[in-house]
Amino acid sequence: METTRAGRPRLTERRRPGSTAREEILDAAGELFTTRGYASTSTRAIAEAVGIRQASLYHYFKTKDELLSALLHQTVTPTLAFLSDLHTDDPSAAQCLHALAAFDGAQLLTSRWNLGALYLLPELREARLATFWTERERLRLAYLELSREILTSTGVADDAADLPFRLVESLVNMWSRPPQPDYATLAGHVGDACLRVLGITDDALAALRIGTGDYLARFEPVW
């Protein structure tokens, strides 16, 4: 059960989605970082957007870097969990990559705020985000390993191995508010594109789409 400190009451009624103050703070930070910019957003502005005192915000996040790190983790942690679930079935590399790209793409497209756009922040290289960079690299290497395994059978040049990861990340440029109603279809198209650039034919994609649908339904994604 969430508790509050004596002497630090809310300034207003709850105004953000979320079951805890921490979730509300992250929602406000996500909105302000992606609309005003990271450097232009103060912790005071975030606290005011939630309706709490600035001192109360520091109970959950000591710095803006901590807030940024928590938001960035939301862009990779669910996908890594989904990938772990995939591995329990040991699907083919092509099936695994298609499902991974579709899930990852849908996560980016349906985020309440365009958190993937935070990757483009110039401050990202300076902020203390070691744990996020570690997780993102794990995800990138997973894409790369699957891509290279596929390339051994298709004969496409190894230079293409990094393209699927980049294709999925490009979806941050297609995010809209509210989320696009047909996001699942768009994410599926990206999954198709990831395999086409590796040399997988359209004939093979039909079966992969069915398998991906089964995996997404089983995992019960949160979007």
Side-chain angles (χ1 to χ4, degrees), residues 3 6-8 46-47 71 137 144 166 194 221:
T3 59
R8 301 196 188 278
I46 296 169
L71 288 170
E137 183 64 4
L144 195 62
R166 302 304 175 189
C194 287

Side-chain angles (χ1 to χ4, degrees), residues 45-215:
I46 296 169
E48 289 175 351
V50 177
I52 60 175
R53 301 180 187 279
Q54 188 177 16
S56 297
L57 182 149
Y58 291 137
H59 175 70
Y60 300 94
F61 300 97
K62 302 302 182 186
T63 65
K64 277 206 307 180
D65 282 357
E66 282 190 16
L67 269 166
L68 179 60
S69 179
L71 288 170
L72 290 169
H73 274 286
Q74 292 180 13
T75 69
V76 295
T77 301
T79 303
L80 287 171
F82 177 72
L83 181 62
S84 178
D85 184 73
L86 273 177
H87 284 328
T88 62
D89 276 3
D90 194 25
S92 68
Q95 181 65 81
C96 190
L97 181 61
H98 191 274
L100 173 63
F103 181 92
D104 197 10
Q107 288 286 319
L108 292 174
L109 286 171
T110 59
S111 173
R112 177 168 157 81
W113 308 110
N114 192 11
L115 300 181
L118 296 176
Y119 294 164
L120 306 178
L121 289 174
E123 298 88 355
L124 212 61
R125 297 295 173 181
E126 300 175 6
R128 291 184 291 276
L129 303 171
T131 56
F132 161 69
W133 287 122
T134 297
E135 284 205 342
R136 183 173 181 272
E137 183 64 4
R138 280 180 57 203
L139 183 58
R140 187 188 74 82
L141 291 176
Y143 272 93
L144 195 62
E145 181 179 357
L146 291 167
S147 297
R148 285 175 171 164
E149 185 174 344
I150 293 168
L151 291 177
T152 60
S153 62
T154 62
V156 174
D158 188 67
D159 290 348
D162 197 43
L163 291 176
F165 183 67
R166 302 304 175 189
L167 279 170
V168 173
E169 285 205 332
S170 72
L171 289 176
V172 301
N173 298 313
M174 303 181 71
W175 180 92
S176 65
R177 181 73 179 151
Q180 298 183 37
D182 203 19
Y183 66 84
T185 298
L186 180 56
H189 288 329
V190 172
D192 291 353
C194 287
L195 294 182
R196 287 193 181 105
V197 299
L198 301 178
I200 297 296
T201 65
D202 286 350
D203 289 343
L205 286 174
L208 295 176
R209 292 187 195 107
I210 295 172
T212 290
D214 291 342
Y215 279 117

